[in-house]
Amino acid sequence: MIYEIRVYEAAEGRADAMRRRFRDHVVTQFFPRHSIELLGVFTAPVEDGRLTYMTRFADEDARKKAWASFAADPAWVAVKAASETDGPLLKNQTVSVLSPAVAGLPLG
């Protein structure tokens, strides 16, 4: 198994719209369709315009295939375009791919 942590930083004034799109479309429609297993979604205790989430994949090949199919999904392209008529929702994103450090060690 490999894990991925993504941190999305919203464009100025767009944090609510970014989170709505993630909640209403990405999590419910596109992650299941593209075999992206969502483990958790997080925000900071003090609003900072970021959304952080963690996913899990069987291996690196599965991760790459899942994200490639997600990005090429015509329905996603349409949702993204419709949600960005007033400009992009994301200012920046950071992606970290992680492997367990010690096999068999529980996560928490």
Side-chain angles (χ1 to χ4, degrees):
M1 284 289 171
I2 63 167
Y3 299 83
E4 180 179 74
I5 297 173
R6 288 186 177 232
V7 179
Y8 290 169
E9 183 181 350
E12 185 69 33
R14 308 286 281 157
D16 287 340
M18 175 189 70
R19 290 183 183 128
R20 258 192 321 276
R21 179 176 73 185
F22 187 79
R23 180 192 67 223
D24 297 345
H25 299 284
V26 174
V27 170
T28 58
Q29 184 179 0
F30 298 107
F31 278 8
R33 182 184 297 175
H34 298 287
S35 300
I36 298 172
E37 181 183 1
L38 182 64
L39 299 179
V41 181
F42 311 91
T43 57
V46 175
E47 173 58 46
D48 64 358
R50 291 185 301 159
L51 175 72
T52 301
Y53 65 94
M54 179 180 241
T55 56
R56 177 170 54 192
F57 301 89
D59 54 35
E60 180 62 14
D61 187 52
R63 186 185 79 81
K64 287 181 179 179
K65 285 180 181 176
W67 285 117
S69 67
F70 176 97
D73 187 323
W76 163 243
V77 172
V79 164
K80 184 176 186 301
S83 66
E84 295 185 341
T85 56
D86 294 329
L89 299 185
L90 293 182
K91 176 178 158 183
N92 187 44
Q93 72 172 305
T94 304
V95 179
S96 300
V97 179
L98 308 165
S99 295
V102 179
L105 189 64
L107 290 177

